[in-house]
Amino acid sequence: MTAESDPPHLHVLVVGAGFGGLAAAHALKQQGEDFAVLERAREVGGVWRDNTYPGCACDIPSNLYSLSFAPNPQWSQAFSKQPEIRAYLNRVAREYGLLPHIRFGCALHEASWDDTAQRWRVETSDGPLTADVLIDAGGPIAEPSIPDLPGLDRFTGAVFHSARWDHGLDLTGRNVVVVGTGASAIQFVPAIQPRVGRMTVVQRTPPWITPRMDRTTTRFERRLYAAAPWLQQVVRRRQYLMREMITWKIMISPRVRRIATKAALHHLRRQVPDPALRAQLTPDFELGCKRILISNDWYPALTQPNVEVVSSGVREVRETSVVTADGREHPADVIIFGTGFHVNDAPMAGRLRGRDGRTLAEYWNGRPRAYLGVTTSNFPNLFRLGCAGSATGHNSHVFQEECQVAYAMDALRLMRSRAIAAVEVRAEAQEAYVETYTARLGRTVWAVGGCNSWYQGADGIPWSNWPASTREYRRATRRFDPAPYELRTAPAIVPAAN
């Protein structure tokens, strides 16, 4: 290939323009890097762009669930709703000058590491390009997961996932079957329950629900935060520390878990007077093993006369009904899946090819391990944000991603200062880290709580999670330590023959 026909080259390529991608873009711009962001959609926002279902909202306090460099004094609620978060991310991209760096409507098809040239060769929907460094900010909840139910293809009604909500469909008076009772379902079920005709909620396992301590922020608060931003930072810090001191303890302390469990059971008893329904809604695993959900209207919605909770799973789907495992047939005009996302089997892992030609999915083979949740052996110059090994079950995921961005930026600075072309975590260093990491995970409720969850890989190990506090994660990622890495200098340039 001649120089004239070489594809465009960038120093850094970021994939995805959600929270993580925008954090990376801002840091790269501040650092003066040559970069671009690929975004398959026509707008920034990631999950907060895609998830538009009724009732969609955050379950982390708004002041904490924000980018540290872009505080928002105008949050209207303690826990903001999706439209407000989406607007916030669009404002960040606009006001911080990130839009010119984003290539909208451009999807990554495949990225392969060229070990000779020591760069990534990338195929996109807009054509090929190359990059020295790849930052995957696609996130773990980008691709909806729909179970392969027998007979689903012959259903004559409407079918959609909560992350792909059909706003053109009028649910008034319809027979609706909801499959799944996770974080999305507990928000959209109460929102649509008053207008549907009949609703059947099919749950595999009931989640633990705690009260949603939400409230409207006052005009005075908003004015105060705008006039004195440091006050909002104090509130943000206090919210962060409260989650570290209390919610994190639930994950590691059986004694604290028992106290929290009593509070959750009190919430259930107070909102569900029927003992039979209450028994259906009582989890049989420890609180915290799966994601703890917050809601004040989930339980009341399930007690309404037009709602039935079925705990036996789906056996098959027929033309106009859903048959559950107990043999009962439930009439259905609409099936809505609240069944989560491809997390440990994210499609992006099948699009990234490492040094030996294997995809990340093939390399992991059901065990999605990564050093500090950021880098992976066999994949030089690849930094992943918000993915395997970094999820937090108790604090802001945005905080985690900003820690990872800081780690990647420090790596870029080191590469520049030492004329390093490629960094790759050593396989032995990664495995030693994984051994320590899994031992610590084994002591958390995610491993011993008696549940199956999206945190876990095919072997039952909760690979998605960071096994310690987020304060410890920040310390671990504050600086890029080159010791566990193989550092390679740029390849020699051979002069062309005359």
Side-chain angles (χ1 to χ4, degrees):
M1 179 176 285
T2 64
E4 289 76 13
S5 62
D6 283 347
H9 180 73
L10 295 160
H11 182 42
V12 184
L13 182 67
V14 181
V15 182
F19 267 107
L22 294 181
H26 177 261
L28 289 164
K29 184 180 179 184
Q30 292 292 102
Q31 203 158 289
E33 303 286 358
D34 170 36
F35 76 97
V37 180
L38 301 188
E39 173 50 62
R40 63 184 180 181
R42 297 291 176 180
E43 182 187 330
V44 305
V47 297
W48 296 105
R49 176 199 60 236
D50 297 341
N51 285 263
T52 60
Y53 59 80
C56 184
C58 189
D59 58 5
I60 297 290
S62 303
N63 290 322
L64 184 55
Y65 197 79
S66 309
L67 291 161
S68 61
F69 62 86
N72 178 22
Q74 300 303 322
W75 292 121
S76 64
Q77 300 285 133
F79 294 84
S80 296
K81 298 186 183 300
Q82 177 268 341
E84 200 167 0
I85 299 173
R86 181 177 181 175
Y88 165 77
L89 290 170
N90 275 278
R91 180 178 64 79
V92 168
R94 183 178 64 255
E95 293 185 359
Y96 286 84
L98 306 181
L99 291 176
H101 297 276
I102 304 174
R103 301 181 182 184
F104 290 106
C106 184
L108 182 145
H109 294 327
E110 185 173 83
S112 302
W113 176 255
D114 183 337
D115 207 39
T116 301
Q118 295 189 70
R119 61 177 51 177
W120 286 95
R121 299 198 176 276
V122 183
E123 296 294 330
T124 78
S125 56
D126 284 352
L129 54 85
T130 61
D132 298 317
V133 175
L134 190 62
I135 298 178
D136 174 15
I141 51 176
E143 300 292 341
S145 175
I146 296 180
D148 185 17
L149 300 178
L152 184 60
D153 58 343
R154 68 176 188 235
F155 182 67
T156 58
V159 179
F160 56 89
H161 190 279
S162 61
R164 302 292 183 266
W165 196 270
D166 184 355
H167 290 279
L169 179 66
D170 184 5
L171 296 175
T172 304
R174 300 292 190 101
N175 291 321
V176 177
V177 173
V178 175
V179 181
T181 54
S184 300
I186 71 156
Q187 294 183 342
F188 74 73
V189 164
I192 67 174
Q193 173 272 320
R195 68 175 186 269
V196 305
R198 180 77 185 167
M199 180 186 292
T200 304
V201 177
V202 181
Q203 68 171 15
R204 184 176 58 181
T205 52
W208 283 104
I209 308 289
T210 59
R212 185 179 184 86
M213 309 300 287
D214 201 4
R215 65 175 182 84
T216 301
T217 58
T218 66
R219 184 180 299 179
F220 174 75
E221 284 178 285
R222 295 195 291 273
R223 287 178 175 174
L224 190 61
Y225 289 158
W230 65 269
L231 285 175
Q232 190 174 24
Q233 289 296 327
V234 169
V235 172
R236 173 185 170 99
R237 180 67 176 170
R238 181 175 61 84
Q239 290 173 337
Y240 170 79
L241 291 174
M242 288 293 289
R243 302 187 79 85
E244 286 293 283
M245 290 188 295
I246 298 175
T247 315
W248 167 241
K249 295 297 184 183
I250 293 173
M251 309 303 158
I252 59 173
S253 169
R255 183 177 64 84
V256 175
R257 246 185 340 265
R258 285 193 292 270
I259 297 171
T261 299
K262 289 179 181 179
L265 289 174
H266 173 72
H267 182 56
L268 173 59
R269 286 193 301 269
R270 186 168 56 85
Q271 293 200 317
V272 182
D274 177 19
L277 178 58
R278 199 161 59 234
Q280 272 188 287
L281 300 176
T282 302
D284 61 358
F285 54 89
E286 289 193 57
L287 182 141
C289 185
K290 291 188 177 186
R291 183 175 172 183
I292 302 172
L293 307 180
I294 60 173
S295 177
N296 297 331
D297 50 13
W298 167 251
Y299 288 145
L302 300 185
T303 66
Q304 299 306 306
N306 67 334
V307 178
E308 179 184 8
V309 179
V310 180
S311 302
S312 55
V314 176
R315 189 176 75 189
E316 65 171 314
V317 179
R318 297 176 181 171
E319 286 84 353
T320 59
S321 64
V322 171
V323 180
T324 47
D326 57 7
R328 297 173 59 209
E329 187 172 5
H330 307 271
D333 303 313
V334 182
I335 300 175
I336 304 175
F337 289 99
T339 45
F341 298 84
H342 291 281
V343 178
N344 289 318
D345 60 341
M348 181 62 74
R351 300 175 189 145
L352 304 176
R353 292 192 176 275
R355 186 166 36 78
D356 65 1
R358 285 183 293 172
T359 67
L360 189 59
E362 291 169 336
Y363 177 80
W364 278 344
N365 192 27
R367 299 175 66 239
R369 56 212 181 276
Y371 185 77
L372 292 175
V374 183
T375 58
T376 303
S377 177
N378 192 50
F379 291 81
N381 289 10
L382 173 64
F383 300 88
R384 304 189 76 229
L385 309 181
C387 297
S390 65
T392 169
H394 71 287
N395 220 320
S396 173
H397 194 60
V398 178
F399 176 87
Q400 297 282 93
E401 289 185 315
E402 289 199 271
C403 291
Q404 294 166 336
V405 168
Y407 186 75
M409 294 306 107
D410 201 46
L412 290 176
R413 288 191 291 270
L414 179 135
M415 291 170 70
R416 185 186 300 107
S417 67
R418 299 191 187 181
I420 300 298
V423 296
E424 178 187 351
V425 64
R426 300 177 189 274
E428 61 273 19
Q430 176 177 283
E431 291 311 306
Y433 167 79
V434 167
E435 184 177 347
T436 302
Y437 159 81
T438 52
R440 295 186 69 178
L441 278 175
R443 297 190 290 271
T444 67
V445 69
W446 303 313
V448 302
C451 74
N452 294 315
S453 75
W454 63 264
Y455 295 143
Q456 298 164 346
D459 52 9
I461 295 175
W463 294 105
S464 294
N465 298 74
W466 167 250
S469 71
T470 58
R471 283 184 294 177
E472 186 171 337
Y473 192 76
R474 184 178 183 180
R475 288 195 297 271
T477 55
R478 188 183 295 274
R479 293 285 182 267
F480 179 83
D481 178 8
Y485 288 83
E486 181 181 348
L487 309 179
R488 304 190 190 105
T489 55
I493 300 175
V494 180
N498 293 328

